[in-house]
């Protein structure tokens, strides 16, 4: 049996979060009635001229700096010519030979402590096309040009990924990054973040790349993984069956979980690229780049490292908590409100809180328990007012809107019993009722200590301070 190696390169289209379009003043707000947000420029009317939106240049530069890429001092817009009903001009304005960003990299984490560097070939600015609507039109197609002219940054990777898992890790990393940078909302349902996956296989050890197929327009992490895995199997079957993979564009069908041919792969020269005579080259000076650099937020990798050092987290926990900027912000606010309980806050955010968010299909930004509220609960755990176990009950009540940690502890009577004489009284009762177990314990069955602890906790409905119960019990039994 031949061993095969998978090779993957991704082209990610991310919609830039500008208010207006890349070459016109029309709004980019999602969800407007069809064709109400397309001006003469977006409609491709004769005689109009595109004017570059300066904000997209700033956003592309941010991305370039965050990925150790070169932000080109000079880049050029080009016309990519093709015919499609949702492209009235007959060409898309894109960048070809001189993109605004090139030659960078990004590290992805594969498992605890193992990372891999993925090359970023280039990232270029372009306009989106309109949308063809097939539903609701019997035997006809509707065209909505609201999306025409929406700014996109197309991020092209080197063919550095070797499995669907790596491709998903890379896509997630880019997704988190553009959201940290505030250059895209990354909304995958609305099409603001989608990718084309280029997939090929080759015999393990072979240098030369195999023939690739390109899986178009995938808009979920799960579908990327499924589509690649299907495609890898298909290509291996074709080759092992004596055939050859043809270079083509394929479509992934999530319902059938298979890829289907769409068209044979076009070559760059099919598009007759040439510099757009309506637009000047984009020239960026060092001062502009330094200003952009100065405005960069703390990036995910740096934040993760800081969480490890400042809050005493493992690499894994720090990676989970910095996966999105919102989660990281929530976590740090909870740590502050808890008086610096970094590890405890991590356990609660990744445990109870994430569980409740998932269960009730909530987002961290509208969590019923605020970071401040969770921090207060953590303080009560830390100062011994409530045991870790009963704190989960308090949390549930807070989640259901029954008030703050202190209010819930008070109203439900969940305060931990830490009073020595009160605990001793209960221990004496328990011991008086268990003469046989005491005998066995003293005869060497040390593990019976757990039985006594259990009895005391039961008698106090879990409210006795477990540390004190252990200590006092041992004293009485051994003394
Ligand atoms: P286009 O798809 O527009 O023709 P490129 O040829 O630059 O553009 O390739 C686009 C993507 O395909 C890149 O992400 C690149 O890494 C990836 N790629 C190129 N060749 C292969 C291959 N043989 N197998 C897998 N991915 C590939
Ligand atoms: Mg391509």
């Amino acid at each position: 049996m031949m061993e095969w190696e998978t090779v993957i390169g991704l082209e990610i289209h991310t919609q830039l979060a500008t208010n207006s379009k890349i070459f016109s003043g029309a709004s980019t707000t999602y969800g407007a009635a069809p064709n109400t947000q397309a001006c003469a420029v977006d409609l491709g009317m004769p005689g109009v001229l595109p004017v570059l939106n300066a904000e997209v240049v700033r956003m592309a530069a941010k991305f370039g700096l965050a990925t150790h890429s070169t932000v080109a001092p000079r880049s050029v817009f080009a016309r990519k010519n093709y015919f499609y009903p949702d492209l009235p001009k007959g060409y898309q304005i894109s960048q070809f030979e001189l993109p605004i960003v090139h030659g960078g990299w990004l590290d992805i984490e594969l498992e605890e402590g193992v990372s891999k560097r993925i090359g970023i070939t280039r990232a270029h600015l372009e306009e989106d096309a309109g949308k063809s609507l097939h539903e609701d039109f019997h035997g006809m197609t509707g065209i909505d040009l609201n999306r025409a002219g929406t700014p996109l940054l197309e991020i092209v990777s080197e063919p550095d990924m070797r499995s669907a898992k790596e491709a998903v890790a890379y896509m997630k990393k880019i997704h988190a990054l553009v959201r940290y940078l505030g250059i895209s909302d990354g909304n995958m349902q609305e099409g603001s973040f989608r990718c084309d996956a280029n997939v090929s296989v080759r015999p393990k050890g072979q240098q030369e790349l195999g023939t690739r197929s390109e899986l178009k327009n995938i808009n979920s992490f799960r579908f990327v993984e499924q589509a690649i895995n299907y495609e890898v199997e298909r290509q291996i079957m074709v080759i092992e069956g004596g055939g050859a993979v043809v270079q083509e564009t394929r479509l992934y069908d999530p319902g059938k979980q298979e890829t289907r041919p769409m068209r044979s792969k076009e070559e760059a020269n099919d598009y007759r690229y040439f510099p757009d005579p309506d637009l000047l080259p984009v020239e960026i000076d060092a001062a502009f780049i330094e200003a952009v650099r100065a405005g960069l937020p703390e990036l995910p990798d740096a934040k993760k490292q800081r969480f490890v050092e400042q809050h005493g987290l493992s690499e894994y926990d720090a990676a989970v908590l910095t996966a999105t900027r919102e989660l990281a912000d929530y976590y740090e606010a909870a740590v502050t409100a808890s008086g610096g309980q970094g590890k405890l806050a991590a356990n609660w955010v990744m445990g109870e809180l994430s569980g409740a968010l998932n269960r009730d299909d909530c987002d961290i930004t509208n969590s019923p328990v605020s970071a401040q509220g969770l921090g207060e609960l953590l303080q009560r755990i830390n100062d011994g007012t409530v045991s870790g176990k009963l704190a989960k009950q308090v949390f549930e009540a807070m989640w259901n809107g029954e008030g703050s940690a202190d209010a819930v502890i008070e109203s439900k009577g969940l305060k931990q019993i830490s009073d020595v004489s009160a605990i001793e009284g209960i221990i004496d009762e328990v011991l008086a009722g268990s003469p046989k177990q005491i005998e066995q314990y003293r005869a060497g069955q040390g593990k019976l200590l757990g039985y006594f602890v259990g009895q005391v906790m039961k008698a106090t409905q879990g409210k006795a301070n477990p540390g004190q119960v252990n200590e006092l019990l041992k004293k009485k039994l051994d003394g």
Side-chain angles (χ1 to χ4, degrees):
M1 277 294 277
M2 172 87 80
E3 261 208 82
W4 297 97
E5 181 176 55
T6 302
V7 175
I8 302 157
L10 296 188
E11 295 162 271
I12 295 177
H13 291 88
T14 186
Q15 182 178 323
L16 296 175
T18 53
N19 296 324
S20 59
K21 294 188 178 174
I22 183 168
F23 300 118
S24 84
S27 168
T28 53
T29 309
Y30 182 81
N35 299 309
T36 56
Q37 290 181 169
C39 70
V41 173
D42 310 321
L43 295 172
M45 291 292 153
V48 297
L49 286 172
V51 176
L52 179 61
N53 182 341
E55 195 55 30
V56 304
V57 176
R58 210 170 334 245
M59 288 175 163
K62 271 190 183 172
F63 178 81
L65 293 177
T67 53
H68 320 92
S69 306
T70 303
V71 180
R74 185 171 180 277
S75 61
V76 169
F77 283 104
R79 292 187 180 179
K80 180 179 183 179
N81 299 281
Y82 66 93
F83 172 82
Y84 207 74
D86 60 22
L87 187 77
K89 293 199 299 293
Y91 60 87
Q92 176 196 28
I93 306 177
S94 182
Q95 295 187 311
F96 184 55
E97 278 169 347
L98 294 173
I100 187 159
V101 165
H102 66 92
W105 52 265
L106 197 73
D107 286 337
I108 56 172
E109 279 75 43
L110 299 176
E111 52 193 281
E112 176 91 47
V114 183
S115 66
K116 177 173 177 177
R117 185 152 295 180
I118 307 296
I120 292 174
T121 316
R122 54 187 275 153
H124 61 256
L125 289 165
E126 62 185 24
E127 59 177 346
D128 208 344
K131 209 168 153 184
S132 298
L133 308 165
H134 305 289
E135 284 160 34
D136 306 334
F137 295 91
H138 298 289
M140 290 183 286
T141 295
I143 303 288
D144 177 5
L145 292 170
N146 282 351
R147 208 177 63 185
T150 298
L152 301 178
L153 186 67
E154 176 171 340
I155 304 157
V156 182
S157 84
E158 289 292 304
D160 285 348
M161 288 151 276
R162 293 291 174 269
S163 67
K165 281 233 155 11
E166 289 184 17
V168 171
Y170 168 80
M171 194 175 169
K172 284 188 171 164
K173 191 94 191 228
I174 295 273
H175 187 250
L177 182 62
V178 296
R179 296 182 70 234
Y180 263 82
L181 292 170
I183 64 174
S184 176
D185 64 17
N187 190 321
M188 298 172 90
Q189 282 85 47
E190 294 176 4
S192 303
F193 192 87
R194 52 194 199 260
C195 98
D196 302 341
N198 295 269
V199 180
S200 66
V201 298
R202 62 181 170 190
K204 215 170 191 128
Q206 178 182 306
Q207 276 301 309
E208 195 191 329
L209 293 176
T211 304
R212 72 177 144 135
S213 60
E214 183 170 350
L215 314 177
K216 274 287 184 202
N217 256 326
I218 313 178
N219 68 347
S220 97
F221 298 123
R222 193 157 49 93
F223 292 166
V224 166
E225 182 160 7
Q226 289 172 357
I228 292 173
N229 283 332
Y230 173 87
E231 183 59 16
V232 167
E233 296 265 309
R234 188 192 70 83
Q235 290 186 7
I236 291 173
M237 281 218 319
V238 166
I239 301 170
E240 288 188 342
V245 174
V246 270
Q247 182 160 331
E248 65 187 352
T249 300
R250 299 176 70 91
L251 203 63
Y252 178 62
D253 179 339
K256 296 204 173 118
Q257 300 203 7
E258 62 175 29
T259 64
R260 279 198 301 272
M262 206 166 124
R263 56 173 187 254
S264 67
K265 173 78 183 143
E266 66 289 338
E267 297 293 336
N269 55 13
D270 295 331
Y271 289 118
R272 320 290 311 213
Y273 279 101
F274 65 88
D276 192 315
D278 289 344
L279 287 156
L280 291 167
V282 181
E283 292 191 349
I284 297 177
D285 61 15
F288 178 89
I289 293 188
E290 284 324 303
V292 170
R293 195 192 302 279
L296 286 179
E298 182 181 34
L299 298 177
D301 284 347
K303 201 185 275 288
K304 186 180 129 202
Q305 223 31 59
R306 183 168 64 74
F307 278 17
V308 168
E309 284 153 25
Q310 188 176 336
H311 302 307
L313 303 185
S314 68
E315 292 270 332
Y316 176 81
D317 289 1
V320 171
L321 291 169
T322 52
T324 69
R325 194 168 170 174
E326 290 80 4
L327 183 62
D329 287 350
Y330 183 103
Y331 165 72
E332 283 211 291
V335 172
T336 305
S338 74
Q341 305 294 315
K343 185 68 189 126
L344 188 63
N347 292 344
W348 276 78
V349 170
M350 299 193 318
E352 291 304 298
L353 181 78
S354 292
L357 290 171
N358 276 337
R359 183 193 64 208
D360 293 355
D361 206 11
C362 279
D363 189 84
I364 189 84
T365 53
N366 52 28
S367 165
V369 175
S370 68
Q372 177 68 30
L374 180 62
E376 286 165 14
L377 174 59
L378 302 183
Q379 275 197 35
R380 293 296 163 259
I381 298 172
N382 192 47
D383 66 17
T385 306
V386 70
S387 69
K389 203 163 165 208
L390 289 185
K392 293 185 178 175
Q393 273 186 44
V394 179
F395 179 84
E396 269 313 302
M398 291 169 71
W399 186 266
N400 296 326
E402 293 173 36
S404 69
D406 284 340
V408 170
I409 292 169
E410 188 61 44
S411 68
K412 289 198 183 298
L414 296 175
K415 226 183 210 130
Q416 180 159 258
I417 304 170
S418 300
D419 178 61
V420 175
S421 61
I423 295 177
E424 272 183 334
I426 296 158
I427 289 179
D428 289 342
E429 273 171 43
V430 167
L431 293 184
S434 326
K436 226 170 105 197
Q437 284 86 347
I438 295 176
E439 207 175 292
Q440 289 169 337
Y441 176 86
R442 290 190 173 140
Q445 292 202 40
K447 65 176 192 297
L448 270 172
L449 184 67
Y451 162 81
F452 295 113
V453 174
Q455 292 298 306
V456 175
M457 294 311 280
K458 200 167 146 195
T460 59
Q461 286 116 40
K463 286 185 282 189
N465 181 322
Q468 282 181 329
V469 171
N470 257 291
E471 199 178 306
L472 292 170
L473 259 172
K474 265 201 204 132
K475 224 192 272 169
K476 288 208 185 255
L477 285 166
D478 299 343

